[in-house]
Amino acid sequence: MTDRVNDPVPDEAPKLKEYDGEGITVTFEPRRCLHAAECVRGLPAVFDLQKRPWVRPGEAAPSEVAEVVRRCPSGALRYHLADGTTEPPDDPTTVRRMPDGRLLIRGDLRVRTGSGERHEVRAVLCGCGASGNQPYCDHSGPCAGGDFDRAENR
């Protein structure tokens, strides 16, 4: 049993929270967050869990915010710039299986979910089949025990 706030709801469309700053908008999908904490370590003035809103993209240059968002392995954080630019996918696509079974994927991805196909550039997919947010990992199964190696997520 878990105490997750985002209990799994099959086939639910993703719920995104948007945070606007000068020149950049950051979106956050809570059900995808695996608490790798790349954001809070990378730019604590922008990503501060003790403040509301916890994401304040106006506290740093858009290029700095974008660089830190790209560190988020799960894809829970995304961005688009005021000119419409979004994160370019890694080329070539990479897949890394973590020791606990999760799959860290980066590239030009099309992921089929219960609510349809999604275009992604970063994702952590469930390797054990227990996630209530299939195909994404949600830390509810045995494959969610390991930490993320920050150096390999960039």
Side-chain angles (χ1 to χ4, degrees), residues 101-119:
R102 292 177 291 174
L103 299 171
L104 276 66
I105 303 175
R106 289 177 169 268
D108 190 8
L109 313 171
R110 301 288 185 266
V111 179
R112 284 195 195 125
T113 71
S115 60
E117 187 174 275
R118 296 184 62 185
H119 178 252

Side-chain angles (χ1 to χ4, degrees), residues 13 77 89:
L77 288 170

Side-chain angles (χ1 to χ4, degrees), residues 31-92:
R31 289 185 69 203
R32 296 264 305 273
C33 183
L34 297 177
H35 308 291
E38 291 293 335
C39 54
V40 295
R41 278 192 297 271
L43 272 176
V46 173
F47 301 97
D48 186 342
L49 298 173
Q50 304 306 312
K51 295 189 177 176
R52 295 294 174 257
W54 79 277
V55 179
R56 294 180 322 282
E59 297 296 319
S63 61
E64 290 178 283
V65 174
E67 190 271 323
V68 169
V69 167
R70 287 189 295 269
R71 294 183 199 171
C72 173
S74 69
L77 288 170
R78 297 173 79 164
Y79 71 88
H80 62 271
L81 300 175
D83 67 5
T85 302
T86 59
E87 179 178 348
D90 284 6
D91 186 21

Side-chain angles (χ1 to χ4, degrees), residues 12-34:
E12 180 180 284
K15 292 187 176 132
L16 299 177
K17 296 180 180 185
E18 278 197 359
Y19 303 92
D20 294 316
E22 178 124 1
I24 191 168
T25 298
V26 174
T27 60
F28 176 61
E29 187 177 339
R31 289 185 69 203
R32 296 264 305 273
C33 183
L34 297 177

Side-chain angles (χ1 to χ4, degrees), residues 2 12 17 21 35 42 66 72-73 75 78 94 98 107 128 133 135 146 149 154:
T2 66
E12 180 180 284
K17 296 180 180 185
H35 308 291
C72 173
R78 297 173 79 164
T94 60
M98 296 189 64
C128 69
N133 191 25
D149 179 4
R154 293 186 186 155

